[in-house]
Amino acid sequence: MIDKLKQIGGLRLTLVLLALLSLPLVMFADMEPQGIGVMTAYIVPSLVVLFFFVLMLDALMNRVFMIEQPPQEQALRRLRMWLDLAAAGGLLLVWGTYFRSLLQL
């Protein structure tokens, strides 16, 4: 297990963990923008958009670099790609409803 985490990479794991950490913060996105509310009302929603695009770019690059690689390398890149896509799907599912509610106002 620890070996798999090392193969995934620290920077990629940090990106995925930060994206997953932002999921429950959607409940506080409608706070008054005073004090900690500035973070949940302005900063986190903008970071979520950045996380989504970086995760999608990383998934795409893993798919591109998978071409003409040995099966062991393809399996590792496929794991990285699906990890990115799962985190991006979570962001889209949870935060997508919040952003859609902003468009309906």
Side-chain angles (χ1 to χ4, degrees):
M1 180 69 175
I2 299 295
D3 188 43
K4 273 288 197 212
L5 292 177
K6 285 183 182 179
Q7 288 179 338
I8 290 173
L11 194 57
R12 184 173 289 111
L13 281 175
T14 303
L15 174 66
V16 170
L17 288 176
L18 285 173
L20 295 178
L21 184 66
S22 70
L23 292 179
L25 294 178
V26 73
M27 294 183 295
F28 306 108
D30 289 332
M31 284 180 71
E32 260 323 291
Q34 295 175 349
I36 196 74
V38 172
M39 184 182 84
T40 58
Y42 296 139
I43 297 172
V44 174
S46 62
L47 285 177
V48 164
V49 174
L50 294 174
F51 289 156
F52 179 77
F53 282 109
V54 172
L55 285 165
M56 295 305 288
L57 176 65
D58 191 41
L60 174 68
M61 294 313 295
N62 275 301
R63 180 66 182 121
V64 167
F65 290 139
M66 205 185 307
I67 299 170
E68 296 184 12
Q69 293 293 320
Q72 184 178 3
E73 183 69 23
Q74 283 184 351
L76 177 62
R77 293 207 182 269
R78 189 172 292 113
L79 172 68
R80 290 174 177 172
M81 181 184 72
W82 283 111
L83 183 65
D84 289 336
L85 290 174
L91 287 176
L92 188 64
L93 184 68
V94 173
W95 279 93
T97 56
Y98 169 73
F99 290 125
R100 187 170 179 209
S101 72
L102 293 179
L103 293 175
Q104 292 177 353
L105 291 178

